[in-house]
Amino acid sequence: SAVISQKPSRDICQRGTSLTIQCQVDSQVTMMFWYRQQPGQSLTLIATANQGSEATYESGFVIDKFPISRPNLTFSTLTVSNMSPEDSSIYLCSVGGTASRSYGYTFGSGTRLTVV
Amino acid sequence: QKEVEQNSGPLSVPEGAIASLNCTYSDRGSQSFFWYRQYSGKSPELIMSIYSNGDKEDGRFTAQLNKASQYVSLLIRDSQPSDSATYLCAVSTGTASKLTFGTGTRLQVTL
């Protein structure tokens, strides 16, 4: 399976500021996914990051709030913009694979964000 | 109707017993099915994937898939206290498609 390096692992941020989370993969992957896991809840998909095109956002998530970059097949960033305490969550990146190979949707170690 | 449903638990089983975790899904186009284990404060860890009807065994874990009934399950034999975690069921429509997660079942293995 692919190995994902995600950073930062945690951060405490002031409301109104922005945080950029990075994920680096050791293999080239077609799709990268960004999830949010609020306390005590399951994972909710924020968006799918495609290399060379704009990210595809799920209902309830917008690009202005969660801009995503995908400059190449091994790297992506998620920015949480103009943060409020409601954005306090764990943010996770994941990779699925290519059309010919599944990486079993490996996850990064997560970023625990607290907004104060 | 939720797309992927699981009983939230907690499911409590004694050490050495078989734990049975269940999941149903609504999208008949789903092709790939996964079970993740998540310890508190950690990211999900893939423990089983299954793509065809029937059983798939890996050590103490057996995944079972019934596409006609839209049902997937995970059996954990000889349950150990270290198996105590939340188990997440996830489905996708392809190897490069997004995953949809259930709410997870919390398993407690008691001594």
Side-chain angles (χ1 to χ4, degrees):
Chain A
S1 61
V3 176
I4 305 173
S5 174
Q6 183 175 345
K7 58 182 180 181
S9 59
R10 61 179 61 231
D11 208 340
I12 301 173
C13 300
Q14 296 291 323
R15 67 175 66 203
T17 63
S18 298
L19 175 71
T20 296
I21 303 167
Q22 300 180 4
C23 273
Q24 178 75 51
V25 190
D26 69 344
S27 308
Q28 292 186 339
V29 293
T30 306
M31 300 288 194
M32 293 182 73
F33 306 92
W34 288 97
Y35 289 86
R36 180 174 74 181
Q37 188 172 31
Q38 295 179 305
Q41 297 190 23
S42 188
L43 283 77
T44 301
L45 182 65
I46 298 171
T48 301
N50 311 303
Q51 193 270 333
S53 63
E54 286 194 3
T56 303
Y57 289 83
E58 298 298 305
S59 176
F61 298 96
V62 295
I63 188 171
D64 289 348
K65 176 67 176 178
F66 298 101
I68 288 172
S69 77
R70 183 80 199 274
N72 56 53
L73 291 174
T74 64
F75 186 79
S76 179
T77 67
L78 169 76
T79 299
V80 186
S81 302
N82 188 24
M83 289 183 284
S84 67
E86 292 70 34
D87 294 320
S88 298
S89 282
I90 298 173
Y91 292 85
L92 295 142
C93 64
S94 174
V95 299
T98 65
S100 59
R101 179 181 177 184
S102 171
Y103 291 105
Y105 297 93
T106 307
F107 282 85
S109 54
T111 297
R112 184 180 295 271
L113 171 61
T114 302
V115 184
V116 296
Chain B
Q1 180 186 7
K2 292 182 180 178
E3 294 183 54
V4 181
E5 294 203 45
Q6 296 180 254
N7 187 319
S8 62
L11 173 65
S12 184
V13 300
E15 183 178 6
I18 296 175
S20 178
L21 305 164
N22 303 315
C23 172
T24 58
Y25 60 94
S26 61
D27 186 352
R28 285 195 172 274
S30 299
Q31 297 181 17
S32 306
F33 306 86
F34 305 89
W35 283 100
Y36 286 85
R37 177 175 62 198
Q38 187 175 29
Y39 294 113
S40 180
K42 301 294 186 182
S43 65
E45 172 192 9
L46 180 66
I47 53 174
M48 288 290 288
S49 60
I50 187 166
Y51 306 99
S52 304
N53 280 328
D55 295 359
K56 178 181 178 182
E57 186 174 319
D58 184 0
R60 296 187 296 114
F61 300 99
T62 299
Q64 300 174 318
L65 175 61
N66 184 326
K67 290 186 178 180
S69 300
Q70 295 176 247
Y71 175 92
V72 59
S73 65
L74 179 70
L75 301 178
I76 306 175
R77 290 181 298 281
D78 188 24
S79 295
Q80 301 297 308
S82 59
D83 295 325
S84 297
T86 296
Y87 289 80
L88 300 165
C89 172
V91 303
S92 78
T93 57
T95 58
S97 302
K98 65 180 182 181
L99 278 179
T100 301
F101 282 85
T103 53
T105 298
R106 188 157 64 92
L107 174 66
Q108 293 177 338
V109 180
T110 58
L111 296 173

